[in-house]
């Protein structure tokens, strides 16, 4: 791995180089099916003092460690791109691709970079289902399907009460688009 001198501290230098090389290899060597899924995964680690980017997410089966965003082929379950969540340990001097679009839209575009222009469908949970991100995916030739959840209020531009009313007359397990 490169040990070049940098004017800033990068606690992720070695793992970033490994992840970048792996992502480039997967983009060149693997072609996913028509349906892909973006999600997040945890790599367990118990000590916050020995792992940069360490997080605690109580909702996860392994709540302590490093969080990764992943995208996988929905037919083969093969992960073909990974991005570590760096949080406050990310060097501010290091540019993040698509960051001008916002945190989540930028993330969704980085994760799907190798399949832009292919017409594939990207499935994601509500954490990734930001309207601007869905629009940006369409601009780069991808379709999307996202879960929309009501927390306190419905997300902006979602007519949730109309959806609830429409679906209340349907059998359990029904879907509509």
């Amino acid at each position: 791995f490169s040990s070049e001198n940098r004017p800033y501290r990068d606690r992720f230098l070695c793992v970033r180089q490994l992840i970048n090389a792996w992502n480039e290899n997967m983009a060149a060597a693997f072609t996913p099916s028509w349906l892909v899924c973006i999600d997040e995964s945890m790599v367990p680690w118990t000590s916050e003092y020995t792992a940069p980017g360490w997080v605690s997410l109580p909702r996860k089966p392994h709540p302590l460690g490093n969080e990764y965003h992943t995208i996988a082929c929905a037919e083969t379950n093969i992960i073909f791109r990974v991005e570590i969540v760096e949080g406050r340990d990310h060097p501010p001097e290091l540019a993040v691709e698509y960051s001008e679009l916002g945190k989540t839209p930028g993330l969704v575009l980085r994760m799907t970079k190798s399949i832009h222009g292919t017409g594939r469908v990207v499935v994601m949970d509500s954490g990734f289902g930001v309207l601007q991100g869905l629009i940006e995916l369409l601009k780069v030739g991808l379709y999307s399907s996202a879960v929309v959840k009501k927390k306190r209020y419905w997300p902006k531009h979602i007519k949730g009460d109309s959806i609830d009313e429409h679906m209340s007359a349907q059998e359990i397990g029904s879907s509509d688009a």
Side-chain angles (χ1 to χ4, degrees):
F1 291 111
S2 172
S3 60
E4 61 187 81
N5 291 330
R6 296 180 185 279
Y8 57 89
R9 183 173 180 196
D10 186 357
R11 297 181 71 194
F12 290 99
L13 178 62
C14 291
V15 73
R16 185 188 329 281
Q17 290 174 330
L18 177 68
I19 289 171
N20 288 345
W22 188 82
N23 285 340
E24 288 173 18
N25 182 62
M26 288 302 289
F30 180 73
T31 303
S33 72
W34 68 278
L35 186 65
V36 299
C37 181
I38 295 178
D39 206 355
E40 54 200 20
S41 300
M42 288 292 290
V43 174
W45 195 263
T46 57
S47 176
E48 67 182 292
Y49 303 107
T50 60
W54 186 89
V55 295
S56 172
L57 295 173
R59 70 181 190 277
K60 296 290 187 182
H62 299 287
L64 306 175
N66 287 111
E67 181 182 13
Y68 288 82
H69 292 116
T70 58
I71 186 168
C73 171
E75 290 185 359
T76 63
N77 298 327
I78 294 173
I79 294 173
F80 61 94
R81 188 171 181 85
V82 174
E83 183 176 298
I84 191 166
V85 176
E86 299 179 24
R88 68 179 182 269
D89 288 325
H90 177 80
E93 300 86 354
L94 200 58
V96 178
E97 192 174 25
Y98 301 115
S99 61
E100 69 279 2
L101 298 172
K103 186 177 176 180
T104 304
L107 170 66
V108 170
L109 286 178
R110 286 190 308 277
M111 296 304 294
T112 58
K113 187 175 179 177
S114 68
I115 59 170
H116 288 178
T118 63
R120 287 180 168 80
V121 177
V122 182
V123 177
M124 57 195 101
D125 69 22
S126 61
F128 299 98
V130 175
L131 180 60
Q132 182 63 35
L134 305 180
I135 292 169
E136 295 299 329
L137 285 176
L138 192 56
K139 287 180 183 178
V140 296
L142 296 171
Y143 298 99
S144 57
S145 175
V147 174
V148 177
K149 288 184 185 176
K150 177 181 181 180
K151 293 190 179 183
R152 190 170 193 180
Y153 304 102
W154 285 104
K156 188 176 180 180
H157 306 299
I158 302 296
K159 298 177 182 175
D161 295 328
S162 298
I163 295 169
D164 280 347
E165 184 180 326
H166 172 74
M167 293 305 291
S168 67
Q170 308 300 319
E171 284 188 40
I172 292 175
S174 298
S175 63
D176 196 354

